[in-house]
Amino acid sequence: MRIRLVAAAFLLTTHAASAQSYGFIARLGRDTISVERVTRTASRMVIDQVEHAPRVIQRHAEMTLAPDGTVRELTIDIATPNPIGNDPRAIHVTATFGRDSVRVTHKSDAGAPRNVTLANSGYLTMPWSTYMFGSYELLAAAAAKRKGNPIPIRQFIPGRLMLDEGALKKRGNVWEITTTALAGFGQIRMDPQGRMSSYSGAKTTYLVEVERLASAPDVAAIAQKFAATEKTSPVVGMLSVRGAAQSKIGAATITVDYGRPLMRGRVLLGGIIPYGEVWRTGANAATQFTTTAAITLEGLALAPGTYTLWTMPSRSGVQLIVNKQSGQWGTNYDAAQDLGHIPLTVGTNKLPVE
């Protein structure tokens, strides 16, 4: 009996020693967007995460890992503390990852259960959420064990029951991840031990910077604070506020629909918005410009309709670009659709405008 107790104590101690607990924090400028706690062993990863971007969402994910570091089984609970309208308060998803498919069961308190099978054609496939970064670490570590560069991947999005296509490309100790959802490429920086030390979304539509935390954060306490703040200030988490301006000029009614990227302590022009690159003249969806009558804009003739406005900033001046495409996301700029470029008059405000 004594020998059995000693052996059991040894096994428990060994298991505890092999488990690692750490975290990730994602920031947009000076503002915290997401906080995550990770507990990991060789065969299992557990993630507790909360985000405020813009809604408060909590996730608890448990993943069983194969020897090559890929995910075999996933169970994830997604909670929205302050749902709006018919939004579900709780979603429960289970998924089994096979070589050629992902079999999924989706349950929520706002609808009937769903069972789907998603074909992944043998690609490296991992669970993915915009602000859940433990899965980024798993993805890059598993890719390092595979041949090829780039490596085609599929990302399983639990809340949307779909696979997003993409690829990983190795550049030194950095993996560049490209997917449809990212609308660009993120940069996963790995340390010699195969751990993600940081992530940058500067080249994606999600401009977050992610830092590894040596100590696991108290996600439950942070989630309570986020949820309480959201109840009193529901727009506090908005990443970029959507706005519109309208004016009647002669026979034409002019409307501009645009996103406003908040500064959040960042340098926008020349920083977040690089010189010499086309910018969406706002945030998120491309800036829409609509006129109800034919007009001339600084010598550029425009028929009634909707266009998009883009900007090319430089240190010597700024060009406004009028493009005949409309309705697209702000990273989908097609120069072949340009109608013309117009030089802008540039000034500087005495005080910054958030």
Side-chain angles (χ1 to χ4, degrees):
M1 182 68 178
R2 186 175 183 181
I3 293 174
R4 290 179 182 175
L5 288 174
V6 170
F10 173 78
L11 289 174
L12 287 172
T13 303
T14 302
H15 175 76
S18 63
Q20 304 174 21
S21 293
Y22 50 96
F24 295 105
I25 183 169
R27 296 184 178 92
L28 189 62
R30 64 189 172 203
D31 295 339
T32 296
I33 299 300
S34 172
V35 180
E36 181 174 345
R37 176 190 181 98
V38 180
T39 303
R40 185 177 177 184
T41 66
S43 61
R44 184 174 173 81
M45 176 179 277
V46 178
I47 295 176
D48 286 288
Q49 177 257 353
V50 61
E51 67 188 53
H52 199 181
R55 303 284 301 283
V56 176
I57 297 175
Q58 295 175 249
R59 292 179 178 86
H60 174 79
E62 299 185 9
M63 290 172 272
T64 302
L65 309 179
D68 63 355
T70 56
V71 175
R72 282 179 170 169
E73 304 282 343
L74 165 71
T75 300
I76 183 167
D77 289 288
I78 306 170
T80 304
N82 304 310
I84 297 175
N86 295 323
D87 288 350
R89 181 179 290 273
I91 297 173
H92 178 77
V93 177
T94 59
T96 301
F97 292 73
R99 173 172 173 77
D100 298 310
S101 65
V102 181
R103 291 183 289 113
V104 185
T105 298
H106 178 283
K107 300 177 182 179
S108 81
D109 56 5
R114 296 175 59 191
N115 296 297
V116 298
T117 299
L118 306 171
N120 65 5
S121 305
Y123 292 115
L124 174 58
T125 305
M126 289 285 184
W128 182 82
S129 171
T130 309
Y131 303 110
M132 196 171 76
F133 295 97
S135 60
Y136 281 63
E137 180 176 80
L138 287 178
L139 183 64
K145 299 178 182 179
R146 299 202 171 194
K147 295 181 180 179
N149 193 22
I151 296 174
I153 64 171
R154 295 292 183 270
Q155 304 261 62
F156 169 57
I157 306 177
R160 297 171 61 188
L161 294 181
M162 63 172 287
L163 295 179
D164 189 24
E165 298 183 7
L168 279 173
K169 187 172 185 179
K170 185 75 179 295
R171 294 186 185 275
N173 65 336
V174 173
W175 286 95
E176 292 182 352
I177 178 171
T178 305
T179 70
T180 305
L182 290 176
F185 66 89
Q187 294 178 304
I188 304 170
R189 186 173 297 277
M190 302 293 283
D191 67 15
Q193 287 73 44
R195 303 172 304 186
M196 190 178 89
S197 57
S198 64
Y199 168 83
S200 175
K203 298 295 184 180
T204 75
T205 197
Y206 305 99
L207 302 176
V208 295
E209 297 294 330
V210 180
E211 173 189 354
R212 186 186 186 91
L213 303 174
S215 299
D218 187 347
V219 171
I222 296 170
Q224 285 185 343
K225 292 180 180 179
F226 279 2
T229 301
E230 185 178 47
K231 282 185 177 180
T232 56
S233 304
V235 300
V236 73
M238 292 294 292
L239 301 187
S240 298
V241 181
R242 201 71 191 172
Q246 188 175 89
S247 181
K248 179 84 172 176
I249 304 175
T253 298
I254 307 294
T255 305
V256 181
D257 179 278
Y258 58 99
R260 293 188 283 139
L262 304 180
M263 288 181 13
R264 302 177 186 272
R266 302 172 295 172
V267 175
L268 293 185
L269 192 59
I272 298 298
I273 305 163
Y275 291 121
E277 295 184 17
V278 174
W279 173 46
R280 66 187 83 181
T281 322
N284 299 327
T287 295
Q288 311 290 309
F289 175 88
T290 301
T291 175
T292 60
I295 62 172
T296 300
L297 186 62
E298 284 293 315
L300 182 65
L302 298 180
T306 299
Y307 307 85
T308 49
L309 300 180
W310 307 79
T311 305
M312 174 72 81
S314 71
R315 296 184 186 277
S316 59
V318 179
Q319 295 280 323
L320 179 69
I321 303 170
V322 181
N323 188 283
K324 61 184 179 182
Q325 190 178 6
S326 64
Q328 73 272 41
W329 192 248
T331 54
N332 299 332
Y333 168 68
D334 182 1
Q337 302 282 340
D338 285 354
L339 290 175
H341 291 210
I342 300 169
L344 296 178
T345 300
V346 179
T348 302
N349 289 335
K350 292 182 180 180
L351 295 175
V353 178
E354 181 66 27

mmCIF file of all heavy atoms in Angstrom, residues 132-165:
data_model
loop_
_atom_site.group_PDB
_atom_site.id
_atom_site.type_symbol
_atom_site.label_atom_id
_atom_site.label_comp_id
_atom_site.label_asym_id
_atom_site.label_seq_id
_atom_site.Cartn_x
_atom_site.Cartn_y
_atom_site.Cartn_z
ATOM 1 N N MET A 132 -7.432 34.418 -30.266
ATOM 2 C CA MET A 132 -7.031 33.289 -29.430
ATOM 3 C C MET A 132 -5.704 32.772 -29.967
ATOM 4 O O MET A 132 -5.648 32.113 -31.009
ATOM 5 C CB MET A 132 -8.096 32.187 -29.463
ATOM 6 C CG MET A 132 -7.958 31.166 -28.368
ATOM 7 S SD MET A 132 -9.379 30.022 -28.273
ATOM 8 C CE MET A 132 -9.026 28.948 -29.663
ATOM 9 N N PHE A 133 -4.599 33.085 -29.274
ATOM 10 C CA PHE A 133 -3.279 32.938 -29.874
ATOM 11 C C PHE A 133 -2.542 31.660 -29.498
ATOM 12 O O PHE A 133 -1.505 31.364 -30.086
ATOM 13 C CB PHE A 133 -2.439 34.174 -29.548
ATOM 14 C CG PHE A 133 -3.004 35.419 -30.174
ATOM 15 C CD1 PHE A 133 -3.821 36.268 -29.447
ATOM 16 C CD2 PHE A 133 -2.776 35.703 -31.500
ATOM 17 C CE1 PHE A 133 -4.386 37.391 -30.031
ATOM 18 C CE2 PHE A 133 -3.334 36.818 -32.097
ATOM 19 C CZ PHE A 133 -4.133 37.667 -31.362
ATOM 20 N N GLY A 134 -3.069 30.896 -28.543
ATOM 21 C CA GLY A 134 -2.461 29.604 -28.268
ATOM 22 C C GLY A 134 -2.497 28.704 -29.490
ATOM 23 O O GLY A 134 -1.568 27.929 -29.738
ATOM 24 N N SER A 135 -3.568 28.831 -30.294
ATOM 25 C CA SER A 135 -3.672 28.018 -31.505
ATOM 26 C C SER A 135 -2.657 28.445 -32.562
ATOM 27 O O SER A 135 -2.212 27.632 -33.369
ATOM 28 C CB SER A 135 -5.093 28.082 -32.070
ATOM 29 O OG SER A 135 -5.445 29.409 -32.385
ATOM 30 N N TYR A 136 -2.268 29.734 -32.569
ATOM 31 C CA TYR A 136 -1.204 30.179 -33.476
ATOM 32 C C TYR A 136 0.103 29.470 -33.118
ATOM 33 O O TYR A 136 0.865 29.061 -33.999
ATOM 34 C CB TYR A 136 -0.998 31.689 -33.349
ATOM 35 C CG TYR A 136 -1.991 32.566 -34.070
ATOM 36 C CD1 TYR A 136 -3.342 32.561 -33.725
ATOM 37 C CD2 TYR A 136 -1.589 33.427 -35.069
ATOM 38 C CE1 TYR A 136 -4.249 33.378 -34.368
ATOM 39 C CE2 TYR A 136 -2.497 34.253 -35.726
ATOM 40 C CZ TYR A 136 -3.820 34.223 -35.370
ATOM 41 O OH TYR A 136 -4.721 35.032 -36.017
ATOM 42 N N GLU A 137 0.360 29.351 -31.821
ATOM 43 C CA GLU A 137 1.574 28.678 -31.371
ATOM 44 C C GLU A 137 1.573 27.218 -31.816
ATOM 45 O O GLU A 137 2.580 26.708 -32.324
ATOM 46 C CB GLU A 137 1.681 28.764 -29.855
ATOM 47 C CG GLU A 137 2.909 28.091 -29.278
ATOM 48 C CD GLU A 137 3.011 28.293 -27.774
ATOM 49 O OE1 GLU A 137 2.307 27.570 -27.032
ATOM 50 O OE2 GLU A 137 3.786 29.162 -27.363
ATOM 51 N N LEU A 138 0.435 26.529 -31.633
ATOM 52 C CA LEU A 138 0.325 25.139 -32.071
ATOM 53 C C LEU A 138 0.548 25.017 -33.573
ATOM 54 O O LEU A 138 1.240 24.108 -34.048
ATOM 55 C CB LEU A 138 -1.057 24.585 -31.723
ATOM 56 C CG LEU A 138 -1.357 24.276 -30.257
ATOM 57 C CD1 LEU A 138 -2.797 23.790 -30.132
ATOM 58 C CD2 LEU A 138 -0.396 23.235 -29.701
ATOM 59 N N LEU A 139 -0.035 25.923 -34.328
ATOM 60 C CA LEU A 139 0.048 25.871 -35.781
ATOM 61 C C LEU A 139 1.488 25.991 -36.264
ATOM 62 O O LEU A 139 1.957 25.191 -37.088
ATOM 63 C CB LEU A 139 -0.802 26.994 -36.377
ATOM 64 C CG LEU A 139 -0.894 27.061 -37.898
ATOM 65 C CD1 LEU A 139 -1.576 25.823 -38.451
ATOM 66 C CD2 LEU A 139 -1.650 28.314 -38.323
ATOM 67 N N ALA A 140 2.221 26.997 -35.753
ATOM 68 C CA ALA A 140 3.599 27.202 -36.194
ATOM 69 C C ALA A 140 4.500 26.050 -35.755
ATOM 70 O O ALA A 140 5.382 25.615 -36.510
ATOM 71 C CB ALA A 140 4.123 28.524 -35.656
ATOM 72 N N ALA A 141 4.292 25.538 -34.530
ATOM 73 C CA ALA A 141 5.112 24.426 -34.038
ATOM 74 C C ALA A 141 4.876 23.168 -34.870
ATOM 75 O O ALA A 141 5.815 22.429 -35.184
ATOM 76 C CB ALA A 141 4.809 24.156 -32.567
ATOM 77 N N ALA A 142 3.614 22.905 -35.243
ATOM 78 C CA ALA A 142 3.318 21.741 -36.073
ATOM 79 C C ALA A 142 3.870 21.914 -37.482
ATOM 80 O O ALA A 142 4.361 20.955 -38.096
ATOM 81 C CB ALA A 142 1.808 21.504 -36.118
ATOM 82 N N ALA A 143 3.814 23.141 -38.011
ATOM 83 C CA ALA A 143 4.338 23.400 -39.353
ATOM 84 C C ALA A 143 5.838 23.169 -39.416
ATOM 85 O O ALA A 143 6.372 22.729 -40.445
ATOM 86 C CB ALA A 143 4.005 24.830 -39.769
ATOM 87 N N ALA A 144 6.539 23.445 -38.314
ATOM 88 C CA ALA A 144 7.998 23.271 -38.280
ATOM 89 C C ALA A 144 8.394 21.806 -38.460
ATOM 90 O O ALA A 144 9.532 21.513 -38.833
ATOM 91 C CB ALA A 144 8.548 23.807 -36.968
ATOM 92 N N LYS A 145 7.465 20.887 -38.212
ATOM 93 C CA LYS A 145 7.752 19.458 -38.346
ATOM 94 C C LYS A 145 7.406 18.931 -39.733
ATOM 95 O O LYS A 145 7.573 17.747 -40.008
ATOM 96 C CB LYS A 145 6.973 18.671 -37.282
ATOM 97 C CG LYS A 145 7.334 19.049 -35.856
ATOM 98 C CD LYS A 145 6.487 18.281 -34.856
ATOM 99 C CE LYS A 145 6.824 18.696 -33.427
ATOM 100 N NZ LYS A 145 5.988 17.978 -32.435
ATOM 101 N N ARG A 146 6.914 19.809 -40.608
ATOM 102 C CA ARG A 146 6.510 19.387 -41.942
ATOM 103 C C ARG A 146 7.479 19.898 -43.004
ATOM 104 O O ARG A 146 8.174 20.889 -42.803
ATOM 105 C CB ARG A 146 5.091 19.880 -42.259
ATOM 106 C CG ARG A 146 4.041 19.326 -41.310
ATOM 107 C CD ARG A 146 2.674 19.367 -41.913
ATOM 108 N NE ARG A 146 1.705 18.649 -41.095
ATOM 109 C CZ ARG A 146 0.502 18.294 -41.506
ATOM 110 N NH1 ARG A 146 0.108 18.584 -42.735
ATOM 111 N NH2 ARG A 146 -0.320 17.654 -40.710
ATOM 112 N N LYS A 147 7.499 19.211 -44.122
ATOM 113 C CA LYS A 147 8.341 19.614 -45.237
ATOM 114 C C LYS A 147 7.584 20.597 -46.110
ATOM 115 O O LYS A 147 6.374 20.536 -46.259
ATOM 116 C CB LYS A 147 8.747 18.390 -46.052
ATOM 117 C CG LYS A 147 9.634 17.396 -45.301
ATOM 118 C CD LYS A 147 10.006 16.223 -46.197
ATOM 119 C CE LYS A 147 10.894 15.240 -45.440
ATOM 120 N NZ LYS A 147 11.260 14.070 -46.282
ATOM 121 N N GLY A 148 8.367 21.493 -46.714
ATOM 122 C CA GLY A 148 7.767 22.456 -47.627
ATOM 123 C C GLY A 148 7.800 23.868 -47.079
ATOM 124 O O GLY A 148 7.831 24.086 -45.878
ATOM 125 N N ASN A 149 7.806 24.824 -47.976
ATOM 126 C CA ASN A 149 7.767 26.238 -47.613
ATOM 127 C C ASN A 149 7.328 27.021 -48.852
ATOM 128 O O ASN A 149 8.091 27.112 -49.810
ATOM 129 C CB ASN A 149 9.136 26.719 -47.133
ATOM 130 C CG ASN A 149 9.082 28.074 -46.456
ATOM 131 O OD1 ASN A 149 8.044 28.498 -45.970
ATOM 132 N ND2 ASN A 149 10.204 28.769 -46.426
ATOM 133 N N PRO A 150 6.112 27.517 -48.908
ATOM 134 C CA PRO A 150 5.125 27.590 -47.827
ATOM 135 C C PRO A 150 4.373 26.277 -47.612
ATOM 136 O O PRO A 150 4.441 25.365 -48.443
ATOM 137 C CB PRO A 150 4.177 28.687 -48.301
ATOM 138 C CG PRO A 150 4.249 28.601 -49.793
ATOM 139 C CD PRO A 150 5.667 28.230 -50.125
ATOM 140 N N ILE A 151 3.656 26.213 -46.493
ATOM 141 C CA ILE A 151 2.843 25.065 -46.136
ATOM 142 C C ILE A 151 1.371 25.477 -46.182
ATOM 143 O O ILE A 151 0.969 26.393 -45.461
ATOM 144 C CB ILE A 151 3.206 24.551 -44.732
ATOM 145 C CG1 ILE A 151 4.644 24.041 -44.714
ATOM 146 C CG2 ILE A 151 2.242 23.460 -44.286
ATOM 147 C CD1 ILE A 151 5.139 23.652 -43.347
ATOM 148 N N PRO A 152 0.564 24.828 -47.019
ATOM 149 C CA PRO A 152 -0.868 25.170 -47.057
ATOM 150 C C PRO A 152 -1.561 24.751 -45.766
ATOM 151 O O PRO A 152 -1.244 23.700 -45.195
ATOM 152 C CB PRO A 152 -1.396 24.371 -48.261
ATOM 153 C CG PRO A 152 -0.423 23.254 -48.433
ATOM 154 C CD PRO A 152 0.910 23.773 -47.981
ATOM 155 N N ILE A 153 -2.472 25.568 -45.279
ATOM 156 C CA ILE A 153 -3.162 25.300 -44.012
ATOM 157 C C ILE A 153 -4.655 25.544 -44.168
ATOM 158 O O ILE A 153 -5.105 26.162 -45.135
ATOM 159 C CB ILE A 153 -2.628 26.191 -42.871
ATOM 160 C CG1 ILE A 153 -2.905 27.668 -43.168
ATOM 161 C CG2 ILE A 153 -1.151 25.936 -42.603
ATOM 162 C CD1 ILE A 153 -2.612 28.600 -42.014
ATOM 163 N N ARG A 154 -5.402 25.034 -43.203
ATOM 164 C CA ARG A 154 -6.811 25.352 -43.062
ATOM 165 C C ARG A 154 -7.053 25.730 -41.603
ATOM 166 O O ARG A 154 -6.530 25.095 -40.700
ATOM 167 C CB ARG A 154 -7.700 24.162 -43.446
ATOM 168 C CG ARG A 154 -7.595 23.765 -44.912
ATOM 169 C CD ARG A 154 -8.175 24.831 -45.821
ATOM 170 N NE ARG A 154 -8.151 24.433 -47.222
ATOM 171 C CZ ARG A 154 -7.141 24.678 -48.049
ATOM 172 N NH1 ARG A 154 -6.064 25.319 -47.605
ATOM 173 N NH2 ARG A 154 -7.203 24.304 -49.307
ATOM 174 N N GLN A 155 -7.832 26.763 -41.382
ATOM 175 C CA GLN A 155 -8.158 27.204 -40.040
ATOM 176 C C GLN A 155 -9.645 26.946 -39.789
ATOM 177 O O GLN A 155 -10.506 27.444 -40.521
ATOM 178 C CB GLN A 155 -7.879 28.704 -39.897
ATOM 179 C CG GLN A 155 -6.453 29.105 -40.246
ATOM 180 C CD GLN A 155 -5.602 29.268 -39.008
ATOM 181 O OE1 GLN A 155 -5.394 28.325 -38.273
ATOM 182 N NE2 GLN A 155 -5.120 30.455 -38.786
ATOM 183 N N PHE A 156 -9.929 26.167 -38.745
ATOM 184 C CA PHE A 156 -11.321 25.881 -38.385
ATOM 185 C C PHE A 156 -11.834 26.989 -37.479
ATOM 186 O O PHE A 156 -11.289 27.245 -36.404
ATOM 187 C CB PHE A 156 -11.433 24.533 -37.682
ATOM 188 C CG PHE A 156 -12.773 24.295 -37.043
ATOM 189 C CD1 PHE A 156 -13.925 24.346 -37.801
ATOM 190 C CD2 PHE A 156 -12.881 24.046 -35.682
ATOM 191 C CE1 PHE A 156 -15.177 24.144 -37.216
ATOM 192 C CE2 PHE A 156 -14.118 23.838 -35.080
ATOM 193 C CZ PHE A 156 -15.263 23.887 -35.863
ATOM 194 N N ILE A 157 -12.913 27.683 -37.904
ATOM 195 C CA ILE A 157 -13.507 28.770 -37.138
ATOM 196 C C ILE A 157 -14.760 28.233 -36.456
ATOM 197 O O ILE A 157 -15.803 28.057 -37.107
ATOM 198 C CB ILE A 157 -13.847 29.966 -38.049
ATOM 199 C CG1 ILE A 157 -12.604 30.394 -38.847
ATOM 200 C CG2 ILE A 157 -14.379 31.135 -37.228
ATOM 201 C CD1 ILE A 157 -12.856 31.518 -39.834
ATOM 202 N N PRO A 158 -14.705 27.937 -35.154
ATOM 203 C CA PRO A 158 -15.834 27.271 -34.481
ATOM 204 C C PRO A 158 -17.144 28.043 -34.546
ATOM 205 O O PRO A 158 -18.208 27.463 -34.765
ATOM 206 C CB PRO A 158 -15.335 27.130 -33.032
ATOM 207 C CG PRO A 158 -13.858 27.160 -33.121
ATOM 208 C CD PRO A 158 -13.551 28.085 -34.252
ATOM 209 N N GLY A 159 -17.095 29.354 -34.332
ATOM 210 C CA GLY A 159 -18.325 30.130 -34.299
ATOM 211 C C GLY A 159 -19.028 30.225 -35.631
ATOM 212 O O GLY A 159 -20.222 30.494 -35.698
ATOM 213 N N ARG A 160 -18.284 29.985 -36.727
ATOM 214 C CA ARG A 160 -18.876 30.126 -38.069
ATOM 215 C C ARG A 160 -18.951 28.794 -38.816
ATOM 216 O O ARG A 160 -19.380 28.744 -39.961
ATOM 217 C CB ARG A 160 -18.060 31.130 -38.881
ATOM 218 C CG ARG A 160 -18.089 32.526 -38.282
ATOM 219 C CD ARG A 160 -17.108 33.463 -38.967
ATOM 220 N NE ARG A 160 -17.401 33.627 -40.375
ATOM 221 C CZ ARG A 160 -16.606 34.273 -41.223
ATOM 222 N NH1 ARG A 160 -15.473 34.803 -40.784
ATOM 223 N NH2 ARG A 160 -16.921 34.388 -42.502
ATOM 224 N N LEU A 161 -18.500 27.711 -38.192
ATOM 225 C CA LEU A 161 -18.579 26.373 -38.779
ATOM 226 C C LEU A 161 -18.017 26.350 -40.199
ATOM 227 O O LEU A 161 -18.666 25.902 -41.150
ATOM 228 C CB LEU A 161 -20.018 25.869 -38.775
ATOM 229 C CG LEU A 161 -20.645 25.624 -37.397
ATOM 230 C CD1 LEU A 161 -22.061 25.116 -37.540
ATOM 231 C CD2 LEU A 161 -19.809 24.653 -36.600
ATOM 232 N N MET A 162 -16.792 26.834 -40.343
ATOM 233 C CA MET A 162 -16.178 26.868 -41.662
ATOM 234 C C MET A 162 -14.670 26.707 -41.548
ATOM 235 O O MET A 162 -14.084 26.860 -40.465
ATOM 236 C CB MET A 162 -16.496 28.188 -42.366
ATOM 237 C CG MET A 162 -15.942 29.423 -41.670
ATOM 238 S SD MET A 162 -16.114 30.948 -42.637
ATOM 239 C CE MET A 162 -14.871 30.689 -43.918
ATOM 240 N N LEU A 163 -14.046 26.368 -42.672
ATOM 241 C CA LEU A 163 -12.594 26.315 -42.774
ATOM 242 C C LEU A 163 -12.125 27.485 -43.612
ATOM 243 O O LEU A 163 -12.658 27.737 -44.699
ATOM 244 C CB LEU A 163 -12.136 25.001 -43.417
ATOM 245 C CG LEU A 163 -12.415 23.709 -42.656
ATOM 246 C CD1 LEU A 163 -11.901 22.520 -43.455
ATOM 247 C CD2 LEU A 163 -11.767 23.730 -41.276
ATOM 248 N N ASP A 164 -11.139 28.204 -43.109
ATOM 249 C CA ASP A 164 -10.558 29.330 -43.829
ATOM 250 C C ASP A 164 -9.237 28.876 -44.442
ATOM 251 O O ASP A 164 -8.393 28.283 -43.764
ATOM 252 C CB ASP A 164 -10.338 30.503 -42.866
ATOM 253 C CG ASP A 164 -9.932 31.770 -43.587
ATOM 254 O OD1 ASP A 164 -10.247 31.898 -44.787
ATOM 255 O OD2 ASP A 164 -9.283 32.621 -42.968
ATOM 256 N N GLU A 165 -9.043 29.157 -45.725
ATOM 257 C CA GLU A 165 -7.833 28.720 -46.422
ATOM 258 C C GLU A 165 -6.685 29.677 -46.152
ATOM 259 O O GLU A 165 -6.873 30.870 -45.944
ATOM 260 C CB GLU A 165 -8.098 28.636 -47.926
ATOM 261 C CG GLU A 165 -9.157 27.637 -48.312
ATOM 262 C CD GLU A 165 -9.325 27.538 -49.815
ATOM 263 O OE1 GLU A 165 -8.521 28.152 -50.547
ATOM 264 O OE2 GLU A 165 -10.244 26.829 -50.249
#
